[in-house]
Amino acid sequence: MTARTAPLTDLERTPRHADAELPAETDELGMWVFIATEVLFFGGLFFAYLYGRTHWPDGWALAARHTDVVLGTLNTAVLLTSSFAVALAVAASEHDRRAWVARLLWATAALGVAFLVIKGIEYRNDWHEGLVPGAHFSLAAIPGAELFFVVYFLTTGLHAVHLTIGIALMSAFAAGTEHRSGWAHPPRLQTAALYWHFVDVVWIFLYPLIYLVVRHS
């Protein structure tokens, strides 16, 4: 009398692990949607760059020569190294190497902090050289130069904000991995890594546009 004769429903036939995978897939989809909106946002800034370069090529080129290509190149190396570290962390998490995952994520966050420190030094130098747009802008007599630095500070500043969020994210996952928190599982870490790689890719586009292309035009 206790035997069940009714057919199983689709919900009952679905394995439990399939339900566990659903939130991770949702997280990843949500991150891709977020990245798509951010691409549109930064795309507008890149359009502003293109507009300024085509309308004031001489002033744009002269202003670009006042950027610190050494610090910009150093920061590019730092960020690429951090992206490699977070990729290794994701790979380690798939093999349940928690200690290595935590170390690599802390290293990623530390490299992100190093990037911000170097960028802060560059901003300080820009301030002392009168390159901050405003009443005391040292290149005010050159058409287009001030607009270049408006775009420069806007794009690099917004990138720094996104990087700060990424540092907090990597630090949270590093701490969560160390404490074996259930939410810090590999699929979710992979989703967080997508955000970090996105921030990296934005800088890879910014670096040549700000420090290299116009400087040699």
Side-chain angles (χ1 to χ4, degrees):
M1 297 296 293
T2 59
R4 183 169 182 174
T5 57
L8 294 175
T9 64
D10 291 340
L11 181 61
E12 291 171 322
R13 282 195 294 265
T14 302
R16 291 185 178 181
H17 63 80
D19 293 334
E21 292 176 358
L22 183 58
E25 294 176 357
T26 304
D27 290 343
E28 186 172 352
L29 176 61
M31 181 58 70
W32 279 116
V33 171
F34 171 78
I35 288 174
T37 60
E38 290 295 290
V39 167
L40 293 175
F41 175 71
F42 277 99
L45 297 176
F46 287 132
F47 178 79
Y49 172 94
L50 179 63
Y51 181 88
R53 185 184 175 190
T54 54
H55 283 72
W56 299 280
D58 294 335
W60 213 255
L62 191 146
R65 293 188 183 99
H66 284 76
T67 59
D68 196 324
V69 68
V70 174
L71 292 182
T73 302
L74 177 60
N75 255 348
T76 302
V78 168
L79 214 53
L80 287 175
T81 304
S82 73
S83 198
F84 179 65
V86 77
L88 287 178
V90 171
S93 70
E94 293 173 351
H95 294 84
D96 201 26
R97 302 293 182 88
R98 290 178 177 269
W100 276 107
V101 172
R103 292 190 192 107
L104 288 165
L105 291 178
W106 284 124
T108 301
L111 288 168
V113 172
F115 179 98
L116 294 179
V117 170
I118 295 170
K119 198 64 196 170
I121 294 172
E122 189 176 358
Y123 283 161
R124 182 196 63 185
N125 295 341
D126 292 337
W127 174 267
H128 290 316
E129 294 176 17
L131 298 176
V132 178
H136 303 289
F137 184 66
S138 61
L139 304 177
I142 302 170
E146 189 167 11
L147 179 59
F148 171 87
F149 276 99
V150 169
V151 174
Y152 163 78
F153 280 108
L154 186 59
T155 53
T156 58
L158 287 171
H159 176 266
V161 170
H162 284 74
L163 182 61
T164 301
I165 295 171
I167 292 170
L169 194 60
M170 293 299 106
S171 299
F173 271 92
T177 301
E178 287 181 338
H179 293 88
R180 295 183 175 273
S181 300
W183 59 267
H185 50 73
R188 189 165 287 168
L189 173 58
Q190 187 172 2
T191 300
L194 282 175
Y195 176 84
W196 190 269
H197 291 313
F198 164 73
V199 174
D200 247 10
V201 169
V202 170
W203 180 258
I204 293 303
F205 278 97
L206 288 177
Y207 169 66
L209 292 177
I210 291 174
Y211 297 97
L212 302 178
V213 176
V214 186
R215 184 183 297 268
H216 298 291
S217 61

